[in-house]
Amino acid sequence: MPEPFPDIKSAHSLVAKHVTKERWEKLADHKTATSGFTLAQAIACAVQFDNQHCGIYAGDWDSYKDFKDVFDPIIQEYHGISPDAVHTSDMDVEKIKGNINPEVPVHSVRIRVGRSIDGFGLSPGITKDQRVGVENLMKSAFGKLAGDLAGNYYPLTGMDEKVRQQLVDDHFLFMSGDRNLQVAGMERDWPEGRGIYHNAEKTFLVWVNEEDQLRIISMQSGGDVRAVFERLARGIKAVGDSVKAESGKDFMLDSKYGFVHSCPTNLGTGMRASVHVDLPGWTKEGLEALKKRCEELKVQPRGTRGESGGQTGITYDISNKHRLGYSEVELVQCMIDGVNTLYAEDVALQKKHGI
Ligand code: ADP
Ligand code: MG
């Protein structure tokens, strides 16, 4: 007997729209092979919370295939792609035109991608053994990184509390406590198997077993997006080569959906290229106006304390909005152009408001 059709609290979510009674009855009893994940686990956030836009996560690569009747229409609608769309990747920094203009008050640039290693589950479904397996594999793989990418791995288990808090405050490390991630199953066995790798300068970092198995990050102070992108491209390749040499495994790469992530909103590039930038004029104009303008420019505003951490003062995290259907180069270009435009408009808004 399948579980009864759930009461989906997020009534306007993509889950509510696409998890029909018919599809539920067909899929509710199924468990995936890699991590024994179910459709009920996948949609837990949409069922429990009333504020989800998407509301679904994958527990392994199998989830996207076994539950495709649900995932495919959600992914197509969210990303605005056609059923026969294919994804292409392009990390060639030489194709990027210009940079953040020198007068723009940017504090720092950060670009991250998510990557998942084939054969292990994704965070919502990954078994305890698989999670430790990913961490052990990465401990060896990190040892092979050289030059400016060379660094050390710091497991969360046993990390000094002051050190941990400082890494969070300095925007280098993730933290626990995001309700979505908890309900999606991503904080099981916390903090075991989680940790952070970084080089001495903290310009190249890798998060292990947070929302994705790996988040590969390049960041630095100032506004040089090109330099950050160039380092990221080298870093992704070095990590991928090292994982392959160590285990024979590749990153999960789907021809339609690009790099596989636990959250379908990250499919494709899995890339978020952001700057922390001061926008005093837009702050006076109001957050709703800023959000609307960002939508037009295909960028997204966040607070500077991370997605769920909130906004403070006049500083915003502005990043590319899209992940799938555009190459990495296109998305970085869109962010650079968007930030330059927002700042030019900010100067006019400062005059308007007498700042
Ligand atoms: P994601 O999940 O995309 O990696 P979050 O919004 O969860 O990003 O933020 C993760 C951390 O990265 C937070 O501490 C945030 O302040 C930091 N961060 C994001 N963009 C920048 C940036 N341009 N400069 C410095 N730190 C950043
Ligand atoms: Mg996050």
Side-chain angles (χ1 to χ4, degrees):
M1 271 296 283
E3 277 185 59
F5 187 61
D7 176 24
I8 299 167
K9 286 215 183 82
S10 285
H12 302 289
S13 62
L14 295 175
V15 163
K17 180 167 174 190
H18 294 290
V19 180
T20 58
K21 209 157 185 222
E22 196 188 351
R23 288 177 186 153
W24 174 263
E25 269 156 21
K26 177 175 162 196
L27 301 171
D29 277 341
H30 182 74
K31 272 190 193 315
T32 60
T34 302
S35 58
F37 204 64
T38 64
L39 184 58
Q41 285 173 285
I43 65 169
C45 283
V47 170
Q48 289 195 34
F49 300 126
D50 62 8
N51 62 352
Q52 304 285 298
H53 171 58
C54 189
I56 193 165
Y57 287 99
D60 41 28
W61 195 354
D62 323 11
S63 302
Y64 285 110
K65 302 168 190 168
D66 298 0
F67 305 128
K68 68 175 183 327
D69 292 0
V70 166
F71 273 105
D72 282 351
I74 289 178
I75 292 165
Q76 285 156 20
E77 180 168 343
Y78 178 85
H79 294 280
I81 57 164
S82 64
D84 54 0
V86 289
H87 180 72
T88 48
S89 181
D90 185 357
M91 296 289 300
D92 182 1
V93 68
E94 296 306 325
K95 292 183 186 149
I96 292 175
K97 296 186 202 77
N99 210 332
I100 301 283
N101 295 332
E103 72 275 14
V104 182
V106 163
H107 299 265
S108 51
V109 179
R110 173 182 185 266
I111 312 181
R112 60 86 163 161
V113 297
R115 288 292 184 273
S116 311
I117 304 164
D118 201 6
F120 300 97
L122 305 174
S123 289
I126 195 169
T127 64
K128 208 173 162 169
D129 280 354
Q130 290 169 352
R131 192 188 301 113
V132 171
V134 168
E135 187 186 38
N136 285 335
L137 168 49
M138 289 316 298
K139 280 180 186 166
S140 318
F142 287 140
K144 308 254 162 48
L145 301 186
D148 65 332
L149 305 176
N152 291 299
Y153 178 70
Y154 306 89
L156 224 55
T157 308
M159 187 183 282
D160 181 76
E161 177 50 24
K162 275 208 221 82
V163 171
R164 191 198 63 79
Q165 190 59 51
Q166 195 62 53
L167 285 169
V168 170
D169 292 344
D170 293 342
H171 305 289
F172 295 122
L173 182 61
F174 56 88
M175 53 187 173
S176 69
D178 183 311
R179 293 285 296 139
N180 284 325
L181 302 202
Q182 284 171 344
V183 166
M186 294 195 244
E187 294 200 358
R188 286 167 299 128
D189 315 309
W190 192 274
E192 189 185 13
R194 282 84 171 182
I196 182 172
Y197 170 89
H198 64 75
N199 63 2
E201 300 76 30
K202 301 198 185 88
T203 54
F204 180 70
L205 310 93
V206 184
W207 292 355
V208 176
N209 287 320
E210 192 238 12
E211 180 178 328
D212 285 302
Q213 287 177 15
L214 304 178
R215 286 280 174 95
I216 304 175
I217 302 162
S218 171
M219 62 197 283
Q220 69 188 45
S221 300
D224 191 350
V225 179
R226 297 176 72 99
V228 170
F229 189 65
E230 187 277 330
R231 186 190 306 110
L232 180 72
R234 275 191 298 117
I236 296 171
K237 181 162 181 347
V239 172
D241 288 350
S242 189
V243 166
K244 182 80 176 178
E246 202 63 40
S247 66
K249 290 175 190 290
D250 292 300
F251 291 143
M252 295 178 199
L253 178 60
D254 188 278
S255 60
K256 263 166 83 167
Y257 295 149
F259 292 101
V260 176
H261 294 72
S262 69
C263 182
T265 66
N266 274 321
L267 290 172
T269 59
M271 194 187 80
R272 198 171 81 82
S274 66
V275 294
H276 280 178
V277 59
D278 288 344
L279 298 173
W282 277 109
T283 305
K284 261 272 172 335
E285 190 73 5
L287 186 59
E288 280 317 304
L290 174 61
K291 277 190 184 153
K292 188 161 165 276
R293 185 62 182 130
C294 283
E295 192 70 29
E296 290 164 2
L297 296 170
K298 297 183 184 162
V299 293
Q300 181 195 51
R302 288 186 181 183
T304 54
R305 291 196 176 147
E307 191 169 14
S308 48
Q311 206 260 324
T312 47
I314 56 166
T315 313
Y316 297 83
D317 170 327
I318 305 289
S319 63
N320 56 291
K321 176 174 173 250
H322 295 288
R323 308 268 186 272
L324 178 66
Y326 302 83
S327 73
E328 291 85 348
V329 164
E330 290 173 306
L331 294 177
V332 167
Q333 189 70 55
C334 180
M335 188 277 280
I336 290 174
D337 297 345
V339 170
N340 285 332
T341 302
L342 281 176
Y343 185 67
E345 292 168 352
D346 197 81
V347 173
L349 288 168
Q350 290 178 41
K351 280 217 186 79
K352 175 182 154 189
H353 293 288
I355 300 171

Short mmCIF file of all heavy atoms in Angstrom, two decimals, residues 110 112 174 178 181 207 210-211 215 266 272 302 306-308, ligand 2:
data_model
loop_
_atom_site.label_atom_id
_atom_site.label_comp_id
_atom_site.label_asym_id
_atom_site.label_seq_id
_atom_site.Cartn_x
_atom_site.Cartn_y
_atom_site.Cartn_z
N ARG A 110 33.23 36.28 -4.77
CA ARG A 110 33.25 34.85 -4.45
C ARG A 110 32.51 34.11 -5.56
O ARG A 110 31.43 34.55 -5.96
CB ARG A 110 32.55 34.60 -3.11
CG ARG A 110 32.36 33.13 -2.71
CD ARG A 110 31.62 33.10 -1.38
NE ARG A 110 31.46 31.78 -0.81
CZ ARG A 110 30.38 31.00 -0.99
NH1 ARG A 110 29.38 31.39 -1.77
NH2 ARG A 110 30.29 29.83 -0.38
N ARG A 112 31.30 30.10 -6.46
CA ARG A 112 31.29 28.69 -6.03
C ARG A 112 30.57 27.84 -7.05
O ARG A 112 29.69 28.32 -7.76
CB ARG A 112 30.63 28.55 -4.66
CG ARG A 112 29.16 29.02 -4.58
CD ARG A 112 28.13 28.00 -4.97
NE ARG A 112 26.79 28.34 -4.49
CZ ARG A 112 25.68 27.82 -4.99
NH1 ARG A 112 25.72 26.98 -6.00
NH2 ARG A 112 24.50 28.17 -4.48
N PHE A 174 30.41 27.37 6.18
CA PHE A 174 28.97 27.17 6.37
C PHE A 174 28.67 26.91 7.84
O PHE A 174 29.58 26.66 8.64
CB PHE A 174 28.51 25.96 5.54
CG PHE A 174 29.26 24.69 5.84
CD1 PHE A 174 28.86 23.85 6.85
CD2 PHE A 174 30.40 24.35 5.10
CE1 PHE A 174 29.56 22.68 7.14
CE2 PHE A 174 31.12 23.19 5.39
CZ PHE A 174 30.69 22.36 6.41
N ASP A 178 20.07 25.66 9.29
CA ASP A 178 19.12 26.05 8.25
C ASP A 178 17.96 25.05 8.27
O ASP A 178 18.16 23.85 8.06
CB ASP A 178 19.83 26.04 6.89
CG ASP A 178 18.94 26.51 5.75
OD1 ASP A 178 17.79 26.00 5.64
OD2 ASP A 178 19.38 27.35 4.96
N LEU A 181 17.48 22.79 5.21
CA LEU A 181 18.46 21.72 5.09
C LEU A 181 18.19 20.62 6.11
O LEU A 181 18.35 19.43 5.84
CB LEU A 181 19.90 22.25 5.25
CG LEU A 181 20.38 23.35 4.30
CD1 LEU A 181 21.90 23.37 4.24
CD2 LEU A 181 19.84 23.23 2.88
N TRP A 207 34.14 23.11 0.54
CA TRP A 207 33.28 22.62 1.63
C TRP A 207 32.99 21.15 1.35
O TRP A 207 32.66 20.78 0.21
CB TRP A 207 31.94 23.35 1.64
CG TRP A 207 31.99 24.79 2.01
CD1 TRP A 207 33.07 25.52 2.42
CD2 TRP A 207 30.87 25.71 2.01
NE1 TRP A 207 32.70 26.83 2.67
CE2 TRP A 207 31.35 26.96 2.43
CE3 TRP A 207 29.52 25.57 1.70
CZ2 TRP A 207 30.52 28.08 2.54
CZ3 TRP A 207 28.70 26.68 1.81
CH2 TRP A 207 29.19 27.93 2.23
N GLU A 210 28.29 19.59 2.91
CA GLU A 210 27.21 20.50 3.33
C GLU A 210 26.00 20.19 2.44
O GLU A 210 25.60 19.04 2.32
CB GLU A 210 27.67 21.97 3.22
CG GLU A 210 26.72 22.97 3.91
CD GLU A 210 26.18 24.03 2.97
OE1 GLU A 210 26.33 23.93 1.75
OE2 GLU A 210 25.58 25.01 3.47
N GLU A 211 25.42 21.20 1.78
CA GLU A 211 24.25 20.94 0.93
C GLU A 211 24.62 20.06 -0.27
O GLU A 211 23.77 19.31 -0.78
CB GLU A 211 23.65 22.27 0.46
CG GLU A 211 22.43 22.11 -0.42
CD GLU A 211 21.82 23.44 -0.84
OE1 GLU A 211 21.90 24.42 -0.06
OE2 GLU A 211 21.27 23.50 -1.95
N ARG A 215 31.43 21.79 -2.37
CA ARG A 215 31.28 23.14 -2.90
C ARG A 215 32.70 23.65 -3.09
O ARG A 215 33.46 23.76 -2.12
CB ARG A 215 30.52 24.04 -1.91
CG ARG A 215 29.02 23.77 -1.84
CD ARG A 215 28.28 24.42 -3.01
NE ARG A 215 26.86 24.06 -3.06
CZ ARG A 215 25.87 24.80 -2.53
NH1 ARG A 215 26.15 25.93 -1.90
NH2 ARG A 215 24.62 24.43 -2.65
N ASN A 266 20.06 24.19 -8.45
CA ASN A 266 21.50 24.34 -8.73
C ASN A 266 21.97 23.54 -9.94
O ASN A 266 23.14 23.61 -10.31
CB ASN A 266 22.32 23.91 -7.51
CG ASN A 266 22.51 25.04 -6.51
OD1 ASN A 266 22.71 26.18 -6.90
ND2 ASN A 266 22.43 24.72 -5.23
N ARG A 272 27.39 30.00 -8.47
CA ARG A 272 26.89 31.28 -7.98
C ARG A 272 28.09 32.21 -7.86
O ARG A 272 28.97 32.00 -7.04
CB ARG A 272 26.18 31.12 -6.63
CG ARG A 272 25.27 32.31 -6.30
CD ARG A 272 24.41 32.04 -5.07
NE ARG A 272 25.12 32.24 -3.83
CZ ARG A 272 25.31 33.43 -3.25
NH1 ARG A 272 24.84 34.53 -3.81
NH2 ARG A 272 25.97 33.53 -2.11
N ARG A 302 21.00 39.10 -2.09
CA ARG A 302 20.90 38.39 -0.81
C ARG A 302 21.53 39.28 0.24
O ARG A 302 22.22 40.25 -0.09
CB ARG A 302 21.71 37.09 -0.81
CG ARG A 302 21.14 35.98 -1.65
CD ARG A 302 21.96 34.69 -1.47
NE ARG A 302 21.42 33.63 -2.31
CZ ARG A 302 21.86 32.39 -2.34
NH1 ARG A 302 22.88 32.03 -1.57
NH2 ARG A 302 21.34 31.48 -3.12
N GLY A 306 24.82 35.08 4.13
CA GLY A 306 24.41 33.82 3.53
C GLY A 306 22.91 33.80 3.28
O GLY A 306 22.17 34.66 3.78
N GLU A 307 22.48 32.83 2.53
CA GLU A 307 21.11 32.75 2.04
C GLU A 307 20.08 32.89 3.16
O GLU A 307 19.06 33.55 3.00
CB GLU A 307 20.91 31.41 1.32
CG GLU A 307 19.61 31.34 0.56
CD GLU A 307 19.56 30.14 -0.37
OE1 GLU A 307 20.39 29.23 -0.22
OE2 GLU A 307 18.65 30.12 -1.22
N SER A 308 20.36 32.26 4.31
CA SER A 308 19.37 32.27 5.37
C SER A 308 19.79 33.17 6.53
O SER A 308 19.14 33.22 7.56
CB SER A 308 19.12 30.85 5.87
OG SER A 308 20.35 30.20 6.11
MG MG B 2 24.02 27.89 0.90
#
